[in-house]
Amino acid sequence: MFHDLKDRIVNMVSSRLFLLFVIFVGLGGTLVYRIFDLQIVNGENYMNNFKLKIRKERSIACTRGNIYDRYGELLAYNELAYNVTIEDVYESGSEKNEKLNTTIKKLIEIIEQNGDHIIRDFNIILDKDGNYQFNVEDKAKLRFLADVYGYDSTDKLTYSQKTATPQEVIEYLAGTRKYEIGDYKNPDDNDSFVPGMGYTREQLLKMINIRYAMSLNGYQKYIATTVASNVNEKTVAVVMENTDLLEGVSIAEDTVRQYVDSVYFAHILGYTGKISQDELITLSNDNKKYAATDMVGKAGIEQVMEHELQGKKGSEIMYVDNLGKVIEITDRKEPVAGNDLYLTIDKNLQKAVYNILEKKIAGILVSKLSNIREFNGNGNSANIIIPIYDVYNALINNNVIDVTHFERAKDSTTEHQVYLNYQNKKATVFAHLREEMEAKKTPYLSLPEEYKVYESFIVNMLSSSSVGILQDAAIDVNDDMYIAWKTEETISMAEYLNYAIAQNWIDVTKVGLDSKYASSDEIYTRLIDVIFENLDNNSEFSKRVYRYMINNDELTGRQICSILLEQGIVEISEADEREFTTGKISAFQFMLERIENLDITPAQLAMDPCSGSCVVTDVNTGEVRALVTYPGYDTNRLANSIDADYYNQLQTDLSKPMWNYATQQKSAPGSTFKMVSSVAGMEDGVIGVNEHITCEGIFEKISPFPKCWIASKGTHGPLDVAGAIQNSCNYFFYEVGYRLGSEGTGVYNSDRGLDRIREYASLFGLSETSGIEIVESEPEVSDFDAVRSAIGQGTHNYTTVGLARYVTCVANSGTCFKLSLLDKLTDHNGNLLVQYTPEVRNHIDLPEREWYAIHSGMRRVVENKAYYENMPVAVAGKTGTAQENKNRPNHALFVGYAPYNDPQVSIATRVAFGYASDYAAEISRDVLRYYFDPDEEESILSGGAIRPDATATTGD
């Protein structure tokens, strides 16, 4: 029919003529033009060419809006960059995978040879041992597996697909059913294909990374997939020179997101990255222009303000021929840049607070460090000492020292000698463990501590997602043998594993056997071999071996220090290095100086304490001036395309740098809660403003008897509200809690007291999140023991930013704000679109005398601190300690405000496991000195670790 129509048109022409005939054919929303170029010469017609012309609307990316601090200091912006992209222009057929894989492999080589790297946002990575592991949480992992296996719902996944190991996913994607990345053992045998054959594990992962990214675009024609972003000029040149060999590969101009001083603002700003399937669905509800290739906010303000920052895409109509070549572009609509956002944050204050936190936390570590092997403890968490041996171990345990480099080190190095010693130690450990599993079968309880550690690791490893042999879901936790292993510790690991086999708790297929034909003894024998195969190059197991090498002086402190120098982790002067190598400086002194100089940071050691948070708020507006969490991380290495190695490093870092300690960590508030209890007592009429309660040290009205912190030394005697806050008298507030529970009946009822405490905690904003726009943990007002809850114990749990809102309300005498990080929004030309103003949540109306009692009590707290002398302004505040674990130091807290007579800013500071509340108060002092006295900036911020003030105490 088509040819008949063409002939009829040609026959209508009687002279030389150029005819253009167009038939519109709708294919999937794309208009296809069939074009004929015909000539009539001497009565004959010729079809000179035939073209397939496809009309496609292509979106044009918009520029994301900038982010500034309250003074217009730039925090986040966009930078021009070049990306390497690939389009699926390959004809379908049996050879498509081979051609596409050849192109991708060549492209990866070009990119990496020129100093760039491909994007790696696939949800499987290689761990330090070279094993595949999932890089995504459980819920997102199921969504990922559904995408891998081609389902639109996780409900359609089979059990084996849901429980697939990372290795099994890789083999599936590399197999003949998907990308055919590998080779045939026998070219004549179609069933002999081996996924990954001819590739290293790393190369295979990179190939799958790109193929999977292309698949998420649905292999749509003319939709490019970014292979590498922000590449250098050398890469651009080489790719352009090889376009004839790299079908579908192009260089695209783009922008990349950049962050100024990123470590300081990481937890506020977040970062951008490629949109996930779930994000695409959610964001498309409000904006249908989102596509699978878009970059969106992944965390923090970037995520919260995604629609305001994103901008509006442009578009153009593109015509391409049947070879994919662009013929014509029409109807271009220019994109509109995103809006610019201004925060309430003071950039310089934020940076200063971060540095103060790091210096003071390092100072606490230094002050607690001792040249001993181990600390046996004396039951007082405030007096915990840090043995230097724990520091040596921490450097390996938190991956500061790269133990995988030991094997590659030169023979003359300390690293090489340590590696040889490690191999000998490991051989001894393996021999002993094999003997235990095959013959001795010592009950766990009777094992030496070292081998308890090893056997616990083995069982946990078998249950891990990367191994998946011991199936947690199948285990009956009420089984007597399970209890004997897990709780009573009266059986051996060998007995437990044999029992697990008999109960079908073991996935036999994961050890390479068929349960239908293998006996229990065969399975156990094979299981032992698999255990040692997995342990052999397991970095986490090796850390445990190194730990006992250090404890037994098989790996010395001097060797640890030498390795720090050999691996370039720390740098010292030639003179200092000579003194160290000649023995004039001991290993202990060397390490002490490294921590004092911040060559080794608290975050790197990941020991107690290694983290802290501080929030500074304008008490008159509810605007947050600084919201600091330590440690931070470099968002520039996560934005645009994730640096997978760095992301994995962050995920395994024991100091949890991606955790926002200011908004997500919760702890008991300790004595910082006593202002709430004071208001509750006065407002409910159970205490008068000037009424005195006599501290007797031990409170005997409930059992067991709670004690005042001073009980071992004496009592506080009679105190009014202000005096009770000043002295942080627990006895006084025990009595308040008791009276709140006895109100109206004279009979103590804890639940009644808790209800009253909860009501007043709510008035200060402690019953809900603070209002800031980024992710925040829900607070917990105590629901247990009104007497102890009145001193900030019980089950109270609050974030630092939650305490910041509370103390802001105290400072301004009753205005409880919904705190905010947002100042204003402008378009890209600077025109004001939105002026953000923190909302007032509620007012607390108290008589002036009650506010005076609270404020004067807080002022006296600070007046009693010698280290607060010579401050540029008068400060009021309250210290607090909170015990979480008897074997670890207490959390240190301080809340306060300044100036006392005319409050401008409030501050809330917490050092997790920071020993003493005075240490948090000292940090707050330095922050307030910086804020109110610019001349002190250099003295506050210069130098290394700042040891705690000699006058600081460990009391509350």
Side-chain angles (χ1 to χ4, degrees), residues 235-251:
T235 299
V236 172
V238 176
V239 169
M240 296 297 288
E241 290 168 4
N242 288 273
T243 50
D244 57 328
L245 302 175
L246 302 171
E247 190 176 0
V249 175
S250 303
I251 296 294

Side-chain angles (χ1 to χ4, degrees), residues 738-786:
Y738 185 84
R739 292 183 184 182
L740 288 170
S742 307
E743 185 183 357
T745 65
V747 178
Y748 174 68
N749 182 297
S750 181
D751 289 343
R752 184 186 299 114
L754 290 168
D755 286 343
R756 307 312 300 142
I757 290 171
R758 186 178 300 109
E759 178 179 328
Y760 288 97
S762 179
L763 288 176
F764 285 97
L766 289 171
S767 61
E768 59 188 46
T769 53
S770 70
I772 59 162
E773 291 76 13
I774 59 178
V775 173
E776 180 183 352
S777 299
E778 290 287 338
E780 300 170 57
V781 181
S782 182
D783 60 0
F784 175 75
D785 191 345

Side-chain angles (χ1 to χ4, degrees), residues 74-318:
L74 192 60
L75 300 178
Y77 66 100
N78 309 290
E79 197 170 72
L80 181 64
Y82 293 100
N83 296 345
V84 180
T85 65
I86 186 169
E87 294 180 17
D88 178 25
V89 295
Y90 294 77
E91 295 296 328
S92 299
S94 60
E95 296 181 353
K96 176 177 178 175
N97 274 332
E98 182 180 356
K99 290 180 178 179
L100 184 52
N101 291 338
T102 299
T103 298
I104 292 173
K105 185 176 182 182
K106 176 67 176 175
L107 183 59
I108 292 172
E109 290 172 356
I110 289 174
I111 290 169
E112 294 185 340
Q113 285 171 0
N114 288 282
D116 287 312
H117 58 84
I118 67 164
I119 60 167
R120 287 191 286 175
D121 49 12
F122 189 53
N123 288 326
I124 293 176
I125 61 172
L126 280 175
D127 63 19
K128 290 179 71 67
D129 305 320
N131 298 315
Y132 296 117
Q133 72 173 40
F134 289 115
N135 197 31
V136 64
E137 299 297 330
D138 288 344
K139 183 179 179 181
K141 184 176 82 172
L142 287 177
R143 176 66 262 173
F144 165 65
L145 290 173
D147 289 339
V148 165
Y149 291 108
Y151 301 124
D152 58 5
S153 169
T154 58
D155 295 336
K156 296 180 181 179
L157 287 166
T158 65
Y159 175 77
S160 61
Q161 290 170 339
K162 286 182 180 179
T163 59
T165 65
Q167 177 70 39
E168 289 169 337
V169 173
I170 291 293
E171 289 175 357
Y172 169 76
L173 290 174
T176 53
R177 285 183 291 175
K178 294 295 285 186
Y179 308 144
E180 290 186 273
I181 307 172
D183 207 346
Y184 291 87
K185 282 185 177 180
N186 180 356
D188 298 324
D189 182 0
N190 290 335
D191 295 327
S192 68
F193 185 84
V194 179
M197 183 176 176
Y199 294 84
T200 66
R201 295 171 74 83
E202 185 174 8
Q203 288 172 335
L204 179 59
L205 184 60
K206 291 173 183 176
M207 292 288 295
I208 289 175
N209 197 337
I210 296 172
R211 290 296 305 269
Y212 183 75
M214 294 179 72
S215 74
L216 293 181
N217 290 337
Y219 279 21
Q220 301 173 72
K221 298 283 186 181
Y222 321 114
I223 300 297
T225 297
T226 300
V227 176
S229 65
N230 198 19
V231 297
N232 61 50
E233 293 179 358
K234 287 174 59 180
T235 299
V236 172
V238 176
V239 169
M240 296 297 288
E241 290 168 4
N242 288 273
T243 50
D244 57 328
L245 302 175
L246 302 171
E247 190 176 0
V249 175
S250 303
I251 296 294
E253 196 175 274
D254 197 4
T255 59
V256 292
R257 197 65 160 171
Q258 294 290 313
Y259 300 97
V260 180
D261 296 322
S262 61
V263 172
Y264 303 106
F265 299 94
H267 300 90
I268 297 175
L269 299 182
Y271 56 92
T272 60
K274 187 178 178 182
I275 194 170
S276 69
Q277 187 64 30
D278 287 343
E279 289 167 336
L280 179 59
I281 294 170
T282 301
L283 292 172
S284 294
N285 290 333
D286 297 318
N287 183 349
K288 301 300 182 184
K289 294 290 186 178
Y290 279 102
T293 56
D294 284 346
M295 291 289 173
V296 298
K298 307 292 282 189
I301 289 296
E302 289 277 28
Q303 183 179 51
V304 173
M305 302 298 286
E306 165 62 26
H307 290 297
E308 289 78 6
L309 293 167
Q310 180 63 240
K312 296 180 180 178
K313 294 180 182 178
S315 64
E316 61 187 11
I317 303 301
M318 176 179 67

Side-chain angles (χ1 to χ4, degrees), residues 391-397 399-401 560 564 591 600 605:
V391 174
Y392 300 147
N393 179 64
L395 291 166
I396 289 177
N397 197 42
N399 303 313
V400 178
I401 287 176
I560 290 288
L564 289 175
M591 196 60 65
I600 297 292
L605 293 175

Side-chain angles (χ1 to χ4, degrees), residues 27-80:
L27 295 176
T30 300
L31 292 178
V32 179
Y33 297 72
R34 299 191 183 277
I35 302 175
F36 304 90
D37 183 355
L38 306 178
Q39 286 187 356
I40 308 301
V41 181
N42 296 327
E44 298 182 5
N45 63 57
Y46 300 89
M47 182 178 292
N48 288 343
N49 58 52
F50 172 83
K51 295 179 182 177
L52 180 69
K53 187 175 182 181
I54 299 178
R55 178 185 185 274
K56 191 80 177 179
E57 181 175 339
R58 180 167 65 182
S59 65
I60 304 171
C62 49
T63 302
R64 196 173 183 85
N66 294 336
I67 303 176
Y68 300 89
D69 86 337
R70 66 187 305 255
Y71 296 115
E73 292 280 345
L74 192 60
L75 300 178
Y77 66 100
N78 309 290
E79 197 170 72
L80 181 64

